[in-house]
Amino acid sequence: MDLYLSGHSYKYAAEQMLLTMFPQERPIYPDGEPTGDRAEISLSAGEAACRLIRQGRAFEGKAVVEPYANDRERVRMEQRAVKLAFYRAALASGVPHPAWGALTGVKPGKLMAQYLRAGKGWEDFAADFDVSPDRARLCQRTAQAALDAKASLAPGDVGLYVGIPFCPTRCAYCSFISSAVGSSRGMIEPYLNALSGEIRQVGAEIRAAGLRPVALYFGGGTPTTLTPEQLDRLCGQVEEAFDLSALREYTVEAGRPDTITMERLAVLKAHGVTRVSVNPQTMSDAVLETIGRRHTAQDVVDALALVRRAGDFQVNMDLIAGLPGDSVEGFRQSLDRVLGLEPENVTVHTLAIKNGSRLAEHPQALPDGAAVGRMVDYAMERLTAAGYVPYYLYRQKYMSGGWENVGWARPGTENLYNILMMEELAPIYALGAGGSTKLVGEDGSIQRRVNPKYPKEYIERVGSGC
């Protein structure tokens, strides 16, 4: 869509709302006089206005810039007004009302937390951003979980992430930095050697600073692609390098059931792991084949049975709404089957088409946004009825229907690392290829330090210093 800005240069704000209301469009900034279908977005005298032209018809939207105390707040309020004006013009043109209204950020819980601290609630949040009541209530519950988690932290508490960027195969939707083991097996040992050096160095720095991990998370990729011996060695190196005396939880993603064995589980139990992920994404064999996962739904059931026999692990299971080849009824059957397995946590993702994924490079027919909405609404209804509570929430670009990702937990089994990571409540130190360290200041400011992205690049560069 052609965008014309007047009186401001808030391109990012305009593009965020463009993506929300017109997800198939991309921004274009033409020179010359405005012509054809377009959005003219102006800012003047404390008011933003949008004139949207669609198929030759004009639609208007306006928004007042709310009061501000300083230049930083002025920019935020002006951007908010620009987005609201564009949003209102789009609604006037007949665009369906999004469940998340005019909200464009990926972490709505951070905004809701501000409302809760100010003594406001979901009703105020819903009114200010035109969010549907069910999504506003959902956001309030996850924001309250974040505030509770924040209150439980002591000075010096941090999160720790260790990344293993290898998987049995690469899924069609995946954009993470992961390599299929079959083509990269020879890289695993050099990678682990480089990671060992980073573990020692960062561990020494964190100890010297008097910091202690309270949440430890092995992610990827799939960490359980490592052999039992490699897993044992890696866990031991982390234990030696870091002060884990304050550790409250220890998670390892065993997301692919074709990597779960009693030998690997015994290693995890011996090192005090408290939570594992067994992530089917779907319980439909046909959809599993479509997305490139070389296992069946029965393999998931069998892997979970191994986990239950191996020890007292809490279990998370992921599902994705909107996968190619899936349907509303198929997703409902997947969720019902997962609930029958009684995991402590269930995470329901909405499919996001990400750059670098096979779905982005080779598009396939997908359930439309309305169908995905029925999937996630069913998940909310069923999980609530089954006694699960939502404890973290985030959104992403290019999500089917503009919906959300939500972590659900049986009360008392919420995963602290996920809350710390998504709500940016404490520093997260990330080790391994593509690891993104977040340093959280006392004023809420965030500094990021990102490791080399690919395993080969990580191996070559990590020796020069972390």
Side-chain angles (χ1 to χ4, degrees):
M1 179 182 291
D2 290 350
L3 300 181
Y4 296 86
L5 309 185
S6 173
H8 68 96
S9 58
Y10 297 134
K11 286 186 176 182
Y12 184 65
E15 291 170 8
Q16 281 185 304
M17 191 53 66
L18 175 68
L19 184 61
T20 297
M21 304 303 282
F22 303 97
Q24 305 306 317
E25 299 275 0
R26 294 296 179 266
I28 301 171
Y29 296 94
D31 294 325
E33 291 296 315
T35 59
D37 286 1
R38 62 193 184 272
E40 303 172 17
I41 310 169
S42 63
L43 181 63
S44 177
E47 182 179 79
C50 176
R51 184 168 183 264
L52 177 65
I53 311 297
R54 296 186 71 194
Q55 298 180 340
R57 297 181 60 194
F59 305 92
E60 307 286 340
K62 294 183 179 181
V64 173
V65 177
E66 296 179 19
Y68 49 85
N70 51 51
D71 277 347
R72 183 177 177 180
E73 286 187 10
R74 174 184 61 80
V75 170
R76 189 172 78 247
M77 294 305 173
E78 288 179 348
Q79 289 178 330
R80 181 180 295 181
V82 163
K83 289 192 284 187
L84 278 173
F86 194 173
Y87 172 76
R88 289 166 179 167
L91 284 184
S93 76
V95 173
H97 184 286
W100 283 98
L103 278 181
T104 59
V106 300
K107 294 171 180 162
K110 294 187 74 172
L111 184 58
M112 174 63 86
Q114 296 176 15
Y115 275 66
L116 295 179
R117 285 192 290 265
K120 300 180 180 180
W122 68 264
E123 299 93 340
D124 306 286
F125 184 80
D128 288 350
F129 296 97
D130 204 21
V131 177
S132 68
D134 58 352
R135 260 54 194 184
R137 286 191 290 265
L138 175 69
C139 192
Q140 176 167 311
R141 295 181 75 181
T142 59
Q144 186 60 58
L147 292 176
D148 293 343
K150 179 68 173 177
S152 76
L153 297 175
D157 286 353
V158 301
L160 182 63
Y161 177 88
V162 180
I164 305 298
F166 303 101
C167 278
T169 59
R170 188 174 177 85
C171 299
Y173 55 80
C174 184
S175 65
F176 288 118
I177 311 308
S178 60
S179 303
V181 169
S183 61
S184 58
R185 189 172 299 278
M187 195 180 295
I188 293 179
E189 274 298 328
Y191 177 81
L192 292 176
N193 289 336
L195 179 59
S196 175
E198 188 182 18
I199 288 170
R200 288 193 301 272
Q201 184 173 348
V202 175
E205 296 286 350
I206 286 180
R207 280 181 180 272
L211 306 178
R212 303 176 305 171
V214 290
L216 173 56
Y217 196 104
F218 280 27
T222 307
T224 45
T225 54
L226 302 181
T227 66
E229 294 75 19
Q230 290 168 334
L231 268 176
D232 184 51
R233 186 169 76 240
L234 177 61
C235 292
Q237 289 166 348
V238 171
E239 291 163 7
E240 183 178 347
F242 294 91
D243 175 6
L244 301 184
S245 62
L247 198 65
R248 291 158 55 179
E249 63 178 36
Y250 190 164
T251 300
V252 173
E253 288 196 359
R256 296 287 289 266
D258 38 348
T259 69
I260 296 174
T261 65
M262 286 301 291
E263 293 77 14
R264 291 185 174 98
L265 292 169
V267 169
L268 300 185
K269 182 179 179 181
H271 286 282
V273 171
T274 58
R275 180 178 183 266
V276 296
S277 296
V278 183
N279 297 334
Q281 314 303 358
T282 173
M283 295 297 279
S284 163
D285 288 345
V287 179
L288 285 168
E289 183 176 359
T290 297
I291 63 176
R293 290 172 75 100
R294 296 176 184 169
H295 64 81
T296 66
Q298 186 60 45
D299 292 334
V300 174
V301 176
D302 295 343
L304 184 58
L306 282 181
V307 172
R308 294 305 193 194
R309 288 209 308 269
D312 188 24
F313 296 110
Q314 293 181 4
V315 172
N316 174 75
M317 301 184 78
D318 282 5
L319 289 173
I320 300 178
L323 288 171
D326 209 355
S327 64
V328 174
E329 184 57 31
F331 178 83
R332 288 173 174 171
Q333 291 174 2
S334 290
L335 179 64
D336 289 346
R337 195 169 179 189
V338 163
L339 287 178
L341 298 172
E342 300 185 335
E344 284 73 22
N345 301 167
V346 178
T347 306
V348 179
H349 296 273
T350 297
L351 180 67
I353 307 299
K354 303 174 186 177
N355 292 333
S357 70
R358 196 163 75 245
L359 280 179
E361 296 168 358
H362 306 285
Q364 300 182 45
L366 300 169
D368 63 21
V372 175
R374 292 197 293 277
M375 296 178 190
V376 295
D377 283 347
Y378 181 77
M380 186 187 305
E381 175 186 331
R382 285 284 286 117
L383 286 159
T384 300
Y388 292 83
V389 295
Y391 74 97
Y392 81 101
L393 178 157
Y394 68 103
R395 303 175 71 211
Q396 295 170 283
K397 290 183 178 179
Y398 312 120
M399 296 184 82
S400 299
W403 298 100
E404 68 278 331
N405 304 320
V406 183
W408 297 81
R410 294 195 181 281
T413 69
E414 296 86 351
N415 185 251
L416 178 62
Y417 176 86
N418 285 331
I419 300 175
L420 298 184
M421 183 67 178
M422 295 305 167
E423 302 303 331
E424 297 172 332
L425 303 180
I428 301 286
Y429 291 85
L431 314 180
S436 179
T437 290
K438 292 184 179 181
L439 305 177
V440 181
E442 291 183 1
D443 60 352
S445 61
I446 307 291
Q447 294 184 31
R448 288 176 170 81
R449 302 286 186 270
V450 181
N451 274 352
K453 187 174 182 180
Y454 297 102
K456 185 174 184 297
E457 181 187 17
Y458 174 82
I459 292 167
E460 292 171 347
R461 291 179 53 190
V462 74
S464 63
C466 304

